[in-house]
Amino acid sequence: MSNLPHSPVAHAFSGIQWDPMQKLRLTNPEKLLLRSAEANPIDYTLSNREESTAYVKVVLKVLAEASGASGPSSKVSHLKALLPEEEALQMLYTDPMGVVTHYAITKLYNIVVCLKDKKRGSSVSMGSTFFNDSDGNLIDEWRPLLRVLHLGGSGDAFAQRGAAYCLAYILMAGCPSQRFSTDRSLKINHSSVEEPLQALISWITSQLQSSASSSLSLVTPTLTALMSSSEARSKFANSGGIGYLSRHLRNGTKGGKSNATVQQLYELCFCVWALSYECNSSSTIRAAFARDNAVHSLVDLVSSAPREKVVRVALSALRTLAQCNADTAPSSASKKEVTGSTFLNEMIGCGLMKYVDQMKERQWTDPDIVEDLDALHKLLHANFKEMSTWDVYLAEVQSGSLEWGFLHTEKFFKENAKQFEGPDGNFFVVKLLVALTGNNDEEVQAIACYDIGEFVRHYPNGRAIARSLGAKDIVMKLVDHQNKELQRHALTAVSKMMVQNWAVSWLLMLLL
């Protein structure tokens, strides 16, 4: 389990007095139970099944009454750093409910850690503590955890991170896939966790819509924990999760906008790797990986190599995708089948073959990296042999990772001009090239301009088609670009689109 950071007001917890806090509406037995828990080790408090459940319900009641429905606390929720003892104790007078909220989250986290560490077969477990004996349903007292997640304003980072993390482990105890880690004799109604689990995942995806590192720090520990549950993986993928992860990974490499730390990139990549194991059992998830450019994001991670541990998990995810199949979960007849071959084509288009060949020359201390590189090398080269030159070009354009080479030459366009029509005659490859002239990589923009110009030269009536797709107006804007190489290719492409004898026209424009 990931460690929950200390609350900024942790030093004030010992100063909490339950009797004066009438707002919490605690009974005398509940106050006694809280005091007893403070006086004894947590493992002792949770050694008895009835007392364990009673203590959990009191802690959740404290959280419910302290957090309220009026939003985050006035002062404690805004704190970031750990306060000295004197300042923390002062918060008991200026914002007592904020301190108590953090106290309840901390205690609940300690409870979850203790129960997770108990040996299998113990009379006290996550299942026996958080699920009713009578009907096997999740106890109703869990709801304040969800309310903490949806605190208004700027929220409460400590409380939200802790609430999400605890809720994840509580709900996973009710998932069928986790029965091996709980007491199988317990009667648990699995349907009682479905809605709460979907609510938790919806909150996570809402946080992932932000590119801020602070939002990532709220959810990555919880999301990483949830990946051990196949039910959670499926719900997350069906909520658009693969797309959110891919975007964050893409923004975290090659000068992207993300402020994600290396650890956050590792956790995000770990989640992608875990989700890739669902590909064999779900055509929907395979399609999501293909649609959301996950391969592109993973290849970018491998090529930028932020840390060896990130490279290891990215390579493992790529290998799993490359080896997936549709044997047990084929797509419907109306949809194009996505398999490992689909992903291998995309990897080749992103230039992974070159990166793998280079990485095989290095000395790696991690045997998993060596094994994954060997496997990917064989798979990529075997797939490449079966691809035509046009297949390789198409994969590269679809990946958006254009690089100068034999695919961007006069010879290639002479031999493949008719292929640009596409199977439906809609020239979708030309449309992709036009879109790539707006890429944030200037080399990609320059190559796209060159390819558009060569298409115009070698395809009958290519000039009219390029104009109808808006290519001339878009490329014209790049003629004055500060990058001289991009400027040159844009000028050449415009010349090819405007006049028949483009070479003479281009020389005249340069002379003028």
Side-chain angles (χ1 to χ4, degrees), residues 345-492:
N345 288 353
E346 192 175 349
M347 292 174 202
I348 290 169
C350 292
L352 184 61
M353 279 180 63
K354 177 183 70 176
Y355 299 134
V356 167
D357 290 345
Q358 292 172 349
M359 293 169 75
K360 279 178 65 65
E361 301 299 319
R362 293 173 55 183
Q363 296 295 317
W364 299 94
T365 57
D366 190 329
D368 289 341
I369 290 182
V370 176
E371 184 181 332
D372 287 336
L373 284 172
D374 287 341
L376 282 169
H377 182 268
K378 292 176 183 177
L379 289 165
L380 288 165
H381 281 270
N383 200 76
F384 184 75
K385 289 178 182 177
E386 297 178 4
M387 295 174 72
S388 66
T389 307
W390 173 255
D391 289 335
V392 177
Y393 177 79
L394 179 60
E396 183 178 298
V397 173
Q398 288 179 318
S399 75
S401 301
L402 304 184
E403 292 186 5
W404 289 112
F406 74 96
L407 296 174
H408 308 285
T409 60
E410 181 179 16
K411 182 177 183 295
F412 171 81
F413 280 86
K414 278 183 178 179
E415 295 173 353
N416 293 278
K418 291 291 287 183
Q419 296 277 14
F420 281 83
E421 293 175 359
D424 299 322
N426 61 357
F427 297 90
F428 79 98
V429 178
V430 181
K431 293 177 183 177
L432 290 175
L433 290 171
V434 173
L436 287 173
T437 61
N439 194 278
N440 56 13
D441 185 320
E442 292 174 356
E443 183 176 75
V444 170
Q445 289 178 285
I447 297 172
C449 288
Y450 174 84
D451 286 6
I452 291 170
E454 287 300 279
F455 164 75
V456 167
R457 280 184 67 202
H458 298 289
Y459 185 83
N461 204 28
R463 187 178 294 105
I465 292 166
R467 285 180 176 178
S468 70
L469 296 176
K472 189 187 80 171
D473 293 338
I474 293 173
V475 175
M476 183 74 80
K477 295 176 182 178
L478 299 174
V479 169
D480 295 322
H481 199 280
Q482 60 184 6
N483 183 309
K484 296 299 182 183
E485 185 71 6
L486 173 54
Q487 183 186 103
R488 180 172 68 85
H489 285 292
L491 183 61
T492 305

Side-chain angles (χ1 to χ4, degrees), residues 204-255:
I204 290 172
T205 56
S206 72
Q207 295 299 311
L208 288 175
Q209 291 177 32
S210 168
S211 60
S213 179
S214 57
S215 294
L216 285 180
S217 67
L218 282 182
V219 300
T220 49
T222 299
L223 188 57
T224 303
L226 285 171
M227 289 300 104
S228 63
S229 162
S230 60
E231 294 84 1
R233 292 196 296 269
S234 179
K235 286 182 182 294
F236 180 71
N238 291 331
S239 299
I242 293 170
Y244 293 124
L245 295 178
S246 298
R247 189 194 70 184
H248 277 286
L249 291 176
R250 213 159 37 242
N251 287 343
T253 56
K254 295 188 174 181

Side-chain angles (χ1 to χ4, degrees), residues 112-328:
V112 170
V113 170
C114 181
L115 293 175
K116 286 292 294 179
D117 289 344
K118 282 187 177 292
K119 293 181 179 179
R120 187 177 170 185
S122 171
S123 62
V124 181
S125 65
M126 292 288 291
S128 69
T129 303
F130 290 98
F131 292 82
N132 295 320
D133 281 337
S134 57
D135 55 12
N137 286 335
L138 178 67
I139 59 174
D140 289 335
E141 287 82 358
W142 72 271
R143 297 181 186 281
L145 291 169
L146 190 61
R147 188 170 67 207
V148 168
L149 299 184
H150 292 284
L151 288 171
S154 58
D156 183 333
F158 172 82
Q160 289 174 309
R161 178 173 175 172
Y165 197 65
C166 292
L167 186 56
Y169 276 101
I170 293 168
L171 298 178
M172 283 196 295
C175 291
S177 64
Q178 304 299 298
R179 291 293 282 158
F180 70 91
S181 61
T182 59
D183 185 350
R184 297 194 179 198
S185 66
L186 289 172
K187 176 186 174 184
I188 292 181
N189 181 4
H190 305 302
S191 63
S192 67
V193 303
E194 286 189 5
E195 283 191 24
L197 183 58
Q198 184 60 61
L200 174 59
I201 286 172
S202 295
W203 176 78
I204 290 172
T205 56
S206 72
Q207 295 299 311
L208 288 175
Q209 291 177 32
S210 168
S211 60
S213 179
S214 57
S215 294
L216 285 180
S217 67
L218 282 182
V219 300
T220 49
T222 299
L223 188 57
T224 303
L226 285 171
M227 289 300 104
S228 63
S229 162
S230 60
E231 294 84 1
R233 292 196 296 269
S234 179
K235 286 182 182 294
F236 180 71
N238 291 331
S239 299
I242 293 170
Y244 293 124
L245 295 178
S246 298
R247 189 194 70 184
H248 277 286
L249 291 176
R250 213 159 37 242
N251 287 343
T253 56
K254 295 188 174 181
K257 297 178 288 185
S258 174
N259 294 316
T261 65
V262 170
Q263 180 60 27
Q264 287 170 343
L265 286 176
Y266 171 76
E267 291 171 342
L268 292 168
C269 197
F270 172 87
C271 293
V272 173
W273 168 73
L275 288 162
S276 70
Y277 277 91
E278 297 296 312
C279 283
N280 285 348
S281 59
S282 172
S283 62
T284 303
I285 292 179
R286 290 197 304 274
F289 268 101
R291 180 190 67 238
D292 295 328
N293 293 318
V295 165
H296 195 167
S297 300
L298 291 168
V299 173
D300 279 353
L301 270 183
V302 169
S303 64
S304 60
R307 288 287 192 283
E308 186 168 304
K309 68 178 184 179
V310 179
V311 172
R312 181 183 70 243
V313 73
L315 286 172
S316 294
L318 287 166
R319 180 182 176 182
T320 304
L321 291 173
Q323 294 176 325
C324 76
N325 59 68
D327 296 345
T328 58

Side-chain angles (χ1 to χ4, degrees), residues 62-75:
V62 168
L63 179 63
E65 300 296 341
S67 57
S70 58
S73 62
S74 59
K75 297 186 181 300

